[in-house]
Amino acid sequence: MKPANIGDRLDQVATPSLLIDLDAFERNLDRMASLVPANGKVRLRPHVKTHKCVEVAQAQIARGAVGVCAQTVAEAEAMVAGGIRDVLLTNQIADASRAARFAALAAHATVASCADDPRHVALLEEAAAAAGTTPGMLVEIDVGQHRCGVEPGAQAVALAQTIARSKHLRFRGLQAYHGSAQHLRDPDARRTAIAASADATNATLAALRNAGLEAEIVGGAGTGTFELEQQAGPWTELQAGSYVFMDADYGRNNAPPQFENVLFVLATCSSVARAGHAVIDAGLKAIAFDSGMPVIVTPKGAVYAGPSDEHGTLDLNGALLTIGARVRMIPGHCDPTVSLHDWLVAVRGDRVEALWQVRARGPAL
Amino acid sequence: MKPANIGDRLDQVATPSLLIDLDAFERNLDRMASLVPANGKVRLRPHVKTHKCVEVAQAQIARGAVGVCAQTVAEAEAMVAGGIRDVLLTNQIADASRAARFAALAAHATVASCADDPRHVALLEEAAAAAGTTPGMLVEIDVGQHRCGVEPGAQAVALAQTIARSKHLRFRGLQAYHGSAQHLRDPDARRTAIAASADATNATLAALRNAGLEAEIVGGAGTGTFELEQQAGPWTELQAGSYVFMDADYGRNNAPPQFENVLFVLATCSSVARAGHAVIDAGLKAIAFDSGMPVIVTPKGAVYAGPSDEHGTLDLNGALLTIGARVRMIPGHCDPTVSLHDWLVAVRGDRVEALWQVRARGPAL
């Protein structure tokens, strides 16, 4: 069921639900467009894994983004169905069925995915041949995240050559993402980490040029570090996603990124039986807790003590809360919180202005 | 999209997805029916917050359950729509809109919800009067969980009297649930906790009788303790839910409950670029991590090191994994893992026998 209707007052919105503060959302979009302008050498390709929402992607592209990143084939399909014409899958496709779906998308949009093994290349080549399309591929290199990616340098060149030799694929460039650097609390530690990523990327680009291969896209960066990648040289596209909503964890960085909190979990107080405490209707099934507890905005002073499946227990610390009263929180981590919900309730002031559907939510099909 | 079709082989099931081992599922149902028989003094009212699935609820009722528990109004609606005729909402309704939806359900099924404040009673009384129905209400008492519930004794009697005086409500009894006792690792600690819960419940029942009120239902218990509540005396209904699927956390109890693991997360290996490690397509959006890492069943020996949004990183510990190979895991906590998925893929041997929809998944609307 939809948690609200357009025109509803805030107090008519069902809970637990996700609110988007439209004024702050638009300020974040504007701020990013001024930091990473559409006519700059380095462009923005925001990641939709944060919002999974066509309307948000369209707003990002309207302010100059070159396209979007997706993390799952289902997200890519939802974005192309929503009219987005350029989607980079920042992930490896590891089975024939997803490869077939992705190759089919290439008939409708400019798409590319990543490889860190010849098997990824072979799977997409076979699917593209069957579909009669020519999707792009990037070589993912490990620039410090130690998750996916071949070693920078010779390994990357060999894989790029495999892509370039594939009849139904286009070699598009490098994926060079250091995600964990974004959450290093100290700005100097973030700077050092991204400088090392830049060195590894530059060395790989030089080796590619020696082999006669040009990287049209060098992608990477996230909300916690994108200005470092922007200044560093090798990157051509910045893949920040969280900037559009923000969350409590980025706020815990020293020198956090200069964006506003846009995404809020709205909950209802359901029990005040224990003195000094309250229970709300938002727990593990409504909020992600991997990056810590949500931060309570109202009632001021209350602290989210801990979740159970459908309940959250608050320490009130003197704040007042009655049964039926609303609680507004900033989730610890925006991406997996959004993925729990079907709808984003876009609010301006006290009024619901739009309902935006969360697409392809849940598992990474 | 559906992750499988009936008749598919296991290797055709899309990932990440949830598998139900039907043989083990049926053995768990049988075992519970033998431990808590339909003709016993204490009956089973299993909790659907574990599975959110009409087909599973119907299988439980077919083996003697008196009805089901739900934690959200949306779950209750889904169960009644699926033909379940007796639903206990083990939760407080705190707003007029959910009260109206719940009062409407009472026209189609026997339903009851919980109160720990006169406000809950007033909300449902007003909604029931408007709907022309007579839902039931239980008084929730705090028997050690320290989450919701009035103090046992006089406070509970006063609230029961408020319900009994309400023209459109029926007083049905007590909700006396000590959820956290189930995860005390030591069986003696669990026994001590439930003995104290029984004392508090018995004292409240005596006080109710003194006031001329009879508790037709005394509900509580979960998978980790239900045999203690069954033997203790005051309880008439056991609300265990997880027994039907089980999870890794119950396995970490000393003297864990004697049920089999039925629920598995199926994932696909997407990257093996780092020696000794592998990356799979199941992370925070496909598995709940609140009760620890999933336990990997195949490949044997591999350990789930940590999640990111759509990725899981494994330490292989000598296990072999190739790109596209499948990984089968027991999630740490079944309830919030199920809530991330749309479908349960019910498998017998190597074949998909049924697809069961997860209803009312996500937030507790």
Side-chain angles (χ1 to χ4, degrees):
Chain A
M1 84 175 226
K2 287 190 187 185
N5 296 303
I6 291 172
D8 278 356
R9 292 187 319 275
L10 200 46
D11 61 11
Q12 297 174 293
V13 176
T15 66
S17 52
L18 292 183
L19 301 183
I20 301 298
D21 176 340
L22 280 172
D23 289 332
F25 169 70
E26 289 163 6
R27 288 193 294 270
N28 279 0
L29 290 173
D30 289 343
R31 178 160 179 82
M32 185 54 104
S34 75
L35 292 170
V36 185
N39 57 1
K41 190 177 77 69
V42 185
R43 300 282 297 278
L44 183 69
R45 182 187 289 275
H47 215 304
V48 305
K49 79 189 188 73
T50 300
H51 53 70
K52 289 173 167 280
C53 179
V54 167
E55 291 84 347
V56 175
Q58 286 167 337
Q60 292 171 315
I61 286 171
R63 312 229 181 176
V66 294
V68 298
C69 298
Q71 197 75 310
T72 73
V73 174
E75 284 173 359
E77 288 169 335
M79 291 301 137
V80 172
I84 307 295
R85 296 270 74 89
D86 189 335
V87 181
L88 169 60
L89 188 78
T90 58
N91 206 344
Q92 283 72 23
I93 296 175
D95 59 83
S97 132
R98 277 182 280 209
R101 288 160 55 199
F102 195 72
L105 278 185
H108 308 285
T110 302
V111 300
S113 68
C114 293
D116 67 8
D117 190 287
R119 180 79 191 129
H120 302 125
V121 183
L123 275 165
L124 193 57
E125 166 66 13
E126 190 177 330
T133 59
T134 315
M137 280 204 114
L138 274 66
V139 171
E140 180 161 2
I141 57 175
D142 182 1
V143 293
Q145 167 96 336
H146 304 323
R147 189 175 66 186
C148 301
V150 295
E151 288 295 308
Q155 265 196 32
V157 173
L159 193 55
Q161 289 170 323
T162 303
I163 297 169
R165 276 195 306 266
S166 300
K167 201 171 153 194
H168 302 89
L169 301 177
R170 281 171 60 206
F171 172 68
R172 300 281 312 273
L174 296 179
Q175 171 71 1
Y177 174 65
H178 189 345
S180 52
Q182 302 180 73
H183 300 274
L184 297 170
R185 295 301 180 214
D186 173 33
D188 283 338
R190 298 198 290 277
R191 187 174 303 277
T192 304
I194 298 305
S197 301
D199 289 346
T201 306
N202 278 322
T204 307
L205 289 170
L208 283 172
R209 277 191 296 271
N210 280 343
L213 289 168
E214 202 60 44
E216 167 202 348
I217 296 175
V218 180
T223 295
T225 59
F226 72 94
E227 291 174 289
L228 299 172
E229 279 97 341
Q230 187 183 27
Q231 294 154 17
W235 285 278
T236 67
E237 292 186 1
L238 307 175
Q239 301 173 343
S242 303
Y243 79 92
V244 74
F245 288 165
M246 293 301 285
D247 59 33
D249 193 66
Y250 278 114
R252 293 178 192 121
N253 275 0
N254 296 321
Q258 297 300 304
F259 296 97
E260 297 176 55
N261 286 114
V262 162
L263 178 76
F264 300 91
V265 178
L266 187 69
T268 298
C269 172
S270 60
S271 172
V272 290
R274 278 176 73 216
H277 301 269
V279 174
I280 60 173
D281 60 355
L284 294 170
K285 294 180 181 176
I287 307 170
F289 289 84
D290 60 286
S291 301
M293 296 292 153
V295 171
I296 295 179
V297 179
T298 50
K300 209 168 147 62
V303 169
Y304 198 107
S308 38
D309 287 348
E310 298 85 1
H311 295 82
T313 300
L314 310 190
D315 293 335
L316 287 175
N317 296 318
L320 283 179
L321 208 50
T322 54
I323 290 169
R326 299 307 183 90
V327 173
R328 188 192 273 240
M329 297 167 278
I330 301 165
H333 188 179
C334 48
D335 303 34
T337 297
V338 167
S339 189
L340 296 170
H341 292 254
D342 282 316
W343 296 96
L344 302 174
V345 182
V347 172
R348 199 173 310 270
D350 188 43
R351 288 284 168 182
V352 175
E353 188 170 302
L355 267 93
W356 293 338
Q357 197 179 349
V358 178
R359 316 270 171 161
R361 90 177 170 112
L365 282 172
Chain B
M1 89 177 220
K2 288 191 188 185
N5 295 304
I6 291 172
D8 278 356
R9 292 188 318 274
L10 199 47
D11 62 10
Q12 296 174 294
V13 176
T15 67
S17 52
L18 292 182
L19 300 183
I20 302 298
D21 175 340
L22 280 172
D23 290 330
F25 169 69
E26 290 163 6
R27 287 193 295 270
N28 279 359
L29 290 174
D30 288 342
R31 179 161 178 82
M32 185 55 105
S34 75
L35 292 170
V36 186
N39 58 359
K41 191 177 78 69
V42 185
R43 300 282 299 277
L44 183 70
R45 183 187 287 277
H47 215 304
V48 305
K49 79 190 189 71
T50 300
H51 54 71
K52 289 175 168 276
C53 179
V54 168
E55 291 84 349
V56 175
Q58 285 167 336
Q60 292 171 315
I61 286 172
R63 312 228 180 175
V66 293
V68 299
C69 297
Q71 196 75 309
T72 73
V73 174
E75 284 174 357
E77 288 170 335
M79 291 300 137
V80 172
I84 308 294
R85 296 270 74 90
D86 189 335
V87 181
L88 168 60
L89 188 77
T90 57
N91 207 344
Q92 285 71 23
I93 296 175
D95 59 83
S97 134
R98 275 182 281 209
R101 287 162 55 200
F102 195 72
L105 277 186
H108 308 285
T110 302
V111 300
S113 68
C114 294
D116 68 8
D117 190 287
R119 181 79 191 127
H120 302 126
V121 183
L123 276 165
L124 193 58
E125 166 66 12
E126 191 176 329
T133 59
T134 315
M137 279 204 114
L138 275 65
V139 171
E140 180 162 2
I141 57 174
D142 181 0
V143 292
Q145 167 96 336
H146 304 323
R147 189 175 67 185
C148 301
V150 296
E151 288 296 308
Q155 265 196 34
V157 173
L159 193 54
Q161 288 170 324
T162 304
I163 297 169
R165 276 195 307 266
S166 299
K167 201 171 152 193
H168 302 88
L169 301 177
R170 280 171 60 208
F171 173 68
R172 300 282 311 274
L174 295 179
Q175 172 71 1
Y177 174 65
H178 190 344
S180 52
Q182 302 181 73
H183 300 274
L184 297 170
R185 293 299 180 216
D186 173 31
D188 284 338
R190 298 198 290 277
R191 187 174 302 277
T192 304
I194 297 307
S197 300
D199 290 346
T201 305
N202 279 322
T204 307
L205 288 170
L208 283 171
R209 278 190 296 271
N210 280 344
L213 289 168
E214 202 60 44
E216 168 204 349
I217 296 175
V218 180
T223 295
T225 60
F226 73 95
E227 292 174 288
L228 299 172
E229 280 96 340
Q230 186 183 25
Q231 294 152 17
W235 284 277
T236 67
E237 291 185 2
L238 307 176
Q239 301 173 343
S242 303
Y243 79 91
V244 74
F245 288 164
M246 294 301 286
D247 58 32
D249 194 65
Y250 278 114
R252 292 178 194 121
N253 275 1
N254 295 322
Q258 296 301 305
F259 296 97
E260 297 176 57
N261 286 113
V262 162
L263 177 76
F264 300 90
V265 178
L266 187 70
T268 298
C269 173
S270 60
S271 173
V272 290
R274 278 176 74 216
H277 300 269
V279 174
I280 59 174
D281 60 354
L284 294 170
K285 293 179 181 176
I287 308 170
F289 290 84
D290 60 286
S291 301
M293 296 293 151
V295 171
I296 296 180
V297 179
T298 50
K300 209 169 149 61
V303 169
Y304 197 107
S308 40
D309 287 347
E310 298 85 1
H311 296 81
T313 300
L314 311 189
D315 293 335
L316 288 176
N317 296 317
L320 283 180
L321 209 50
T322 55
I323 289 169
R326 300 306 183 88
V327 173
R328 188 192 272 240
M329 297 167 278
I330 301 166
H333 188 179
C334 48
D335 304 34
T337 297
V338 168
S339 189
L340 295 169
H341 293 255
D342 282 316
W343 296 96
L344 302 174
V345 182
V347 172
R348 198 171 315 263
D350 187 44
R351 288 284 168 183
V352 175
E353 187 169 304
L355 267 93
W356 292 339
Q357 196 178 349
V358 178
R359 316 268 171 162
R361 90 176 170 111
L365 282 172

